[in-house]
Amino acid sequence: MIITIDGPAAAGKGTLAGALAEKYKLAYFDTGMVYRAVGLQMVLSGADLQDQTKATEFAKKLTFPEMMKLSAHKDFRSDIGGQAASIVSAIPDVRSALLTMQQNFALNPVFADGTKANGAVYDGRDTGTVVCPDADLKIFITASSEVRAKRRFDEFSAKGINTTYEKVLSDMKERDERDSKRSAAPLKPADDAVIIDTSSLGIKEVLAKVCSLIDALK
Ligand code: DC
């Protein structure tokens, strides 16, 4: 079983994907990590984030273990990492260099310890439209920018990251704009995706809704 969950930043994709992975014993691929890994390598090497050749070079060389190693860096999940990921992810050659690695995950979904999973759950922006167009279930989750910025601000505060709600909101709007206006795989629901607005829904309600869709597949 392959499930895709797409949507803008802080819509609740990761929380939902994690809960589904646990309930249905699915391996989880957070596809934003591939772009964060390339973006962070650009930042660490001091490259201009618009340098398409350099970004494509990093993308072509990226391996799963290297991505996991980079994910321990303090800026991997910070706003610096998020903005860098969003910029490099708009480069078509970067996207095509990272596609096979993402698609291969569904061929033999395994957990971190190597044991076999019942399938895979992906989260990202284009997992239902490009990465896994034949997925068994496609979800597109969204929420208002204000609700998403508040969630992200609370996450940053809990981690001790010094920022303001206003800065998080303006960065998020900038990133949403770039992710949805780019020519390569812009953020949009697949034609056959189920769209869920989580602005006024808690994780339990969203999970119940998605579980009923999964259970109906069987
Ligand atoms: O989900 P995230 O915040 O970790 O994603 C970081 C950036 O990566 C996001 O701004 C857009 C890009 N991304 C993408 O273009 N396609 C994906 N499938 C996942 C993320």
Side-chain angles (χ1 to χ4, degrees), residues 31-32 35-36 77 85-86 89 95 124-126 175 179 182:
T31 62
Y35 301 101
R36 284 180 183 268
R77 294 274 167 206
S86 171
S89 72
R95 299 198 75 84
R125 303 291 188 288
D126 65 341
R175 191 138 77 93
D179 292 348
R182 67 187 181 208

Side-chain angles (χ1 to χ4, degrees), residues 135-155:
D136 300 289
L137 178 66
K138 300 175 184 178
I139 305 289
F140 188 89
I141 65 173
T142 187
S144 70
S145 329
E146 288 72 19
V147 167
R148 292 185 291 113
K150 170 82 172 66
R151 288 179 189 161
R152 195 41 59 90
F153 173 68
D154 289 346
E155 263 171 49

Side-chain angles (χ1 to χ4, degrees), residues 62-79:
L62 188 71
T63 60
F64 210 92
E66 192 187 2
M67 177 180 86
M68 296 313 292
K69 209 165 129 193
L70 284 160
S71 72
H73 190 280
K74 67 172 177 47
D75 277 327
F76 191 81
R77 294 274 167 206
S78 76
D79 220 57

